[in-house]
Amino acid sequence: MPKRKLENGDSGDDDQIVQSNQFRVGEKKKDSRSHQCPYLDTINRGVLDFDFEKLCSISLSKINCYACLVCGKYFQGRGIGTHAYMHSVSCGHHVFLNLQTLKFYCLPDNYQVIDSSLDDIIYVLKPTFTVTDIKELDSNSKLSIAFDGTSYLPGIIGLNNIKQNDYCNVILQALSNVKDIRNYFLRESNYDVNYGQDRSDLIVQRFGELLRKMWNAKNFKAHVSPHEMLQAVVLCSKKRFQITKQGDPINFLSWFINSLHKNRHVEVIEKDGNSTSIIYQTFRGSMKTYIRKVIPIDRTIEEKLQLMESKEYSERCESGHFLYLTLDLPPTPLFRDEMSENIIPQVPLSRLLAKFDGVSEKEYKTYKDSYLKRFVITEFPKFLILYIKRFTQNTFFLEKNPTIVNFPIKNVDLSELLEPEEGSNKGTQPNANYDLIANIVHDGDPEPGKGTYRIHVLHKGTGKWFEIQDLHVNEILPQMITLSEAYIQIWEKQVNN
């Protein structure tokens, strides 16, 4: 082909002009295909499940992972010869989603698919909440309809029991209904985490993802699998908590909220300008502990009088904080009634809380000495966690105390437990009225793996109570809650108008 006359820096090569024109035509064809993909109707939303770890089903690699939107499986890569490419050619599945970039592609032709009808898939994979969305959560009473036709209330979502992780599920359910915790973790910008060397970063990231899925009003199914969250728990706890072996919810709760607190990404600024974690801001209260050493019984009266005046046996006061309060149940009766039936004792919650009235003393023994302690609350948290100690380990086996705790579910006034301010009476203490929002129950034998856990949660939008046990969600009458063997409770402090 002859060279043209060079003008204005032109190379004069007609071949280059032809090639560039062909490239532009190819790009136009590619753009038209991107917006008119013929395979969109093959997508099966009923099989899509983004709750599990994003690994290629063949190579088990996390790198460059794609989800087949026809069968729901994960494959690596999209170039010629990759697992996703071979799956597309062999099975005739053409539409794939990059799980990192959230872009859609058609294979084996390898062009990007751009269509607004796919936005719902992206939202299920990565739900997002605006400030307005979060404010409306507690006033929403509308049922959402999942893709499979199941109706559900966002936030009142069943969690899959993979094997024996019900003890984790109830804690995750309870924390997801604590308003301050939920609102903080629904906004990913509050804790922008890129998982790196710090293992606790993974816990924060996975917990936020789980809460967003649980409160998503556009789910494809009416339940969520906590698989990725629990894998992070196993990893970060160094297998202390496992999916295949049942544990104690209070141990998991204590470890979990402390792990979140220690992470640098969950800091918040308080009104006084000091920084703390969202965990401490929500759950931390303050108390004083008065301790005095018990004088040995075998001492004479004169010796006892002398010891009472010594510094070692005088009462001392220690100030501290708490994330939950431990309540001690009275011992169960050793005998049966006249009808030879077991007696199930009952005790009011107020009697258990009297432990913190600043007057009641309890003896604590060490291998050498005994101490009498009394407790008084100096500051109540926004959300109060109560742990009712039902299990005791004796020399031979684990025992469970079946005592029923009677309690109202609204307007519990705890102001009498507050230490009086200087120059004031207890009657003029700040408001400390609480409403129950979550109640974790243990059923069955105390041995690990034999009993089960379930939870009662309050849905504020409807004002109704629901019982959740793994995937099973049922409405329950409030009167039935107090008849259960309560184990862990979360109470919300009323806001003064």
Side-chain angles (χ1 to χ4, degrees), residues 259-372:
S259 296
L260 292 177
H261 160 70
K262 292 175 184 177
N263 189 274
R264 64 189 184 278
H265 294 286
V266 295
E267 285 188 350
V268 291
I269 306 299
E270 295 186 311
K271 292 180 180 179
D272 58 5
N274 295 325
S275 64
T276 184
S277 72
I278 185 63
I279 299 299
Y280 273 19
Q281 190 183 69
T282 305
F283 294 123
R284 189 173 73 162
S286 303
M287 70 161 59
K288 287 182 179 178
T289 305
Y290 295 90
I291 308 170
R292 64 185 178 91
K293 192 174 179 181
V294 178
I295 299 174
I297 302 175
D298 56 355
R299 299 297 177 93
T300 64
I301 297 177
E302 291 77 11
E303 289 176 331
K304 289 181 179 179
L305 290 172
Q306 288 180 355
L307 291 175
M308 286 176 64
E309 296 176 358
S310 66
K311 187 176 180 180
E312 182 183 358
Y313 288 89
S314 60
E315 188 175 65
R316 68 181 190 274
C317 177
E318 294 179 356
S319 298
H321 300 284
F322 64 89
L323 291 176
Y324 62 85
L325 297 178
T326 301
L327 306 183
D328 303 307
L329 289 171
T332 53
L334 299 176
F335 305 101
R336 297 185 175 185
D337 63 9
E338 309 160 333
M339 306 297 293
S340 297
E341 295 180 358
N342 288 325
I343 302 170
I344 300 179
Q346 300 185 32
V347 61
L349 180 64
S350 57
R351 181 179 166 188
L352 302 184
L353 287 169
K355 172 183 178 181
F356 302 96
D357 61 6
V359 178
S360 303
E361 290 185 320
K362 185 181 178 184
E363 186 174 359
Y364 293 83
K365 294 182 179 180
T366 65
Y367 71 97
K368 185 179 179 182
D369 300 307
S370 295
Y371 295 89
L372 285 174

Side-chain angles (χ1 to χ4, degrees), residues 32-313:
S32 64
R33 285 193 302 177
S34 295
H35 293 279
Q36 298 177 2
C37 180
Y39 301 110
L40 294 185
D41 60 346
T42 65
I43 295 174
N44 184 1
R45 287 169 171 80
V47 300
L48 298 184
D49 189 345
F50 301 119
D51 293 343
F52 292 91
E53 193 172 7
K54 312 302 186 291
L55 296 175
C56 173
S57 56
I58 298 175
S59 67
L60 302 181
S61 172
K62 295 181 180 180
I63 302 172
N64 206 21
C65 195
Y66 290 78
C68 173
L69 301 186
V70 181
C71 66
K73 294 180 180 178
Y74 298 162
F75 298 96
Q76 188 179 17
R78 72 172 194 271
I80 297 175
T82 60
H83 298 304
Y85 181 93
M86 298 306 295
H87 174 74
S88 174
V89 171
S90 61
C91 298
H93 298 173
H94 299 289
V95 189
F96 290 78
L97 168 64
N98 186 307
L99 296 171
Q100 282 76 41
T101 64
L102 306 183
K103 293 181 179 180
F104 298 88
Y105 295 91
C106 182
L107 300 182
D109 295 340
N110 199 13
Y111 61 85
Q112 185 179 349
V113 179
I114 302 173
D115 197 294
S116 60
S117 67
L118 302 175
D119 291 347
D120 61 330
I121 297 176
I122 294 178
Y123 195 82
V124 168
L125 173 59
K126 193 172 182 179
T128 54
F129 291 82
T130 64
V131 175
T132 305
D133 294 336
I134 294 173
K135 285 181 179 178
E136 295 175 351
L137 289 178
D138 286 336
S139 59
N140 176 46
S141 59
K142 294 181 180 179
L143 287 170
S144 296
I145 307 297
F147 180 78
D148 59 4
T150 309
S151 59
Y152 68 96
L153 282 168
I156 309 297
I157 294 287
L159 293 179
N160 186 27
N161 189 346
I162 300 167
K163 193 165 186 183
Q164 287 189 333
N165 55 275
D166 56 337
Y167 75 101
C168 292
N169 286 353
V170 291
I171 295 300
L172 296 174
Q173 290 281 10
L175 294 178
S176 74
N177 282 276
V178 175
K179 180 181 176 180
D180 290 28
I181 299 293
R182 177 200 68 194
N183 293 356
Y184 184 86
F185 281 94
L186 287 182
R187 295 279 293 169
E188 193 174 6
S189 58
N190 287 335
Y191 53 95
D192 193 12
V193 174
N194 291 316
Y195 175 57
Q197 298 299 321
D198 191 349
R199 284 184 172 182
S200 66
D201 287 354
L202 184 61
I203 284 285
V204 174
Q205 180 187 358
R206 293 290 185 245
F207 185 55
E209 290 173 356
L210 179 65
L211 290 195
R212 289 194 293 276
K213 289 177 180 178
M214 292 175 68
W215 284 92
N216 183 9
K218 302 174 183 178
N219 276 325
F220 287 166
K221 55 188 187 303
H223 66 271
V224 173
S225 176
H227 190 268
E228 285 188 296
M229 174 76 240
L230 296 176
Q231 281 188 317
V233 168
V234 174
L235 175 65
C236 297
S237 69
K238 299 179 181 178
K239 298 186 178 180
R240 177 184 172 189
F241 302 101
Q242 299 185 33
I243 301 173
T244 56
K245 185 179 179 182
Q246 194 182 62
D248 193 329
I250 191 62
N251 293 337
F252 175 66
L253 173 65
S254 179
W255 173 84
F256 186 65
I257 59 179
N258 276 289
S259 296
L260 292 177
H261 160 70
K262 292 175 184 177
N263 189 274
R264 64 189 184 278
H265 294 286
V266 295
E267 285 188 350
V268 291
I269 306 299
E270 295 186 311
K271 292 180 180 179
D272 58 5
N274 295 325
S275 64
T276 184
S277 72
I278 185 63
I279 299 299
Y280 273 19
Q281 190 183 69
T282 305
F283 294 123
R284 189 173 73 162
S286 303
M287 70 161 59
K288 287 182 179 178
T289 305
Y290 295 90
I291 308 170
R292 64 185 178 91
K293 192 174 179 181
V294 178
I295 299 174
I297 302 175
D298 56 355
R299 299 297 177 93
T300 64
I301 297 177
E302 291 77 11
E303 289 176 331
K304 289 181 179 179
L305 290 172
Q306 288 180 355
L307 291 175
M308 286 176 64
E309 296 176 358
S310 66
K311 187 176 180 180
E312 182 183 358
Y313 288 89

Side-chain angles (χ1 to χ4, degrees), residues 315-491:
E315 188 175 65
R316 68 181 190 274
C317 177
E318 294 179 356
S319 298
H321 300 284
F322 64 89
L323 291 176
Y324 62 85
L325 297 178
T326 301
L327 306 183
D328 303 307
L329 289 171
T332 53
L334 299 176
F335 305 101
R336 297 185 175 185
D337 63 9
E338 309 160 333
M339 306 297 293
S340 297
E341 295 180 358
N342 288 325
I343 302 170
I344 300 179
Q346 300 185 32
V347 61
L349 180 64
S350 57
R351 181 179 166 188
L352 302 184
L353 287 169
K355 172 183 178 181
F356 302 96
D357 61 6
V359 178
S360 303
E361 290 185 320
K362 185 181 178 184
E363 186 174 359
Y364 293 83
K365 294 182 179 180
T366 65
Y367 71 97
K368 185 179 179 182
D369 300 307
S370 295
Y371 295 89
L372 285 174
K373 295 183 182 181
R374 57 188 179 94
F375 309 92
V376 61
I377 308 295
T378 55
E379 183 183 2
F380 274 113
K382 290 182 182 179
F383 290 83
L384 176 64
I385 302 176
L386 299 181
Y387 158 51
I388 301 171
K389 192 174 181 180
R390 288 196 175 274
F391 303 108
T392 53
Q393 180 73 53
N394 62 23
T395 309
F396 303 103
F397 52 86
L398 188 67
E399 287 184 311
K400 178 184 176 182
N401 190 327
T403 300
I404 299 296
V405 179
N406 297 319
F407 53 89
I409 62 173
K410 283 186 176 181
N411 297 320
V412 175
D413 187 4
L414 303 181
S415 58
E416 290 187 356
L417 303 181
L418 279 169
E419 183 182 48
E421 296 179 359
E422 291 184 10
S424 66
N425 299 318
K426 277 198 173 184
T428 60
Q429 287 300 301
N431 178 40
N433 291 333
Y434 282 84
D435 297 331
L436 184 68
I437 61 168
N439 181 55
I440 295 174
V441 178
H442 180 268
D443 298 310
D445 295 331
E447 289 81 8
K450 291 189 177 180
T452 57
Y453 292 97
R454 55 192 168 96
I455 184 171
H456 304 130
V457 292
L458 172 66
H459 185 264
K460 291 186 178 179
T462 59
K464 297 179 180 179
W465 281 89
F466 291 86
E467 181 179 85
I468 306 176
Q469 186 167 13
D470 298 328
L471 294 177
H472 305 286
V473 180
N474 298 299
E475 188 179 343
I476 186 174
L477 293 173
Q479 297 88 333
M480 300 298 293
I481 296 173
T482 59
L483 301 178
S484 59
E485 296 177 1
Y487 188 50
I488 300 172
Q489 297 180 334
I490 300 182
W491 298 77

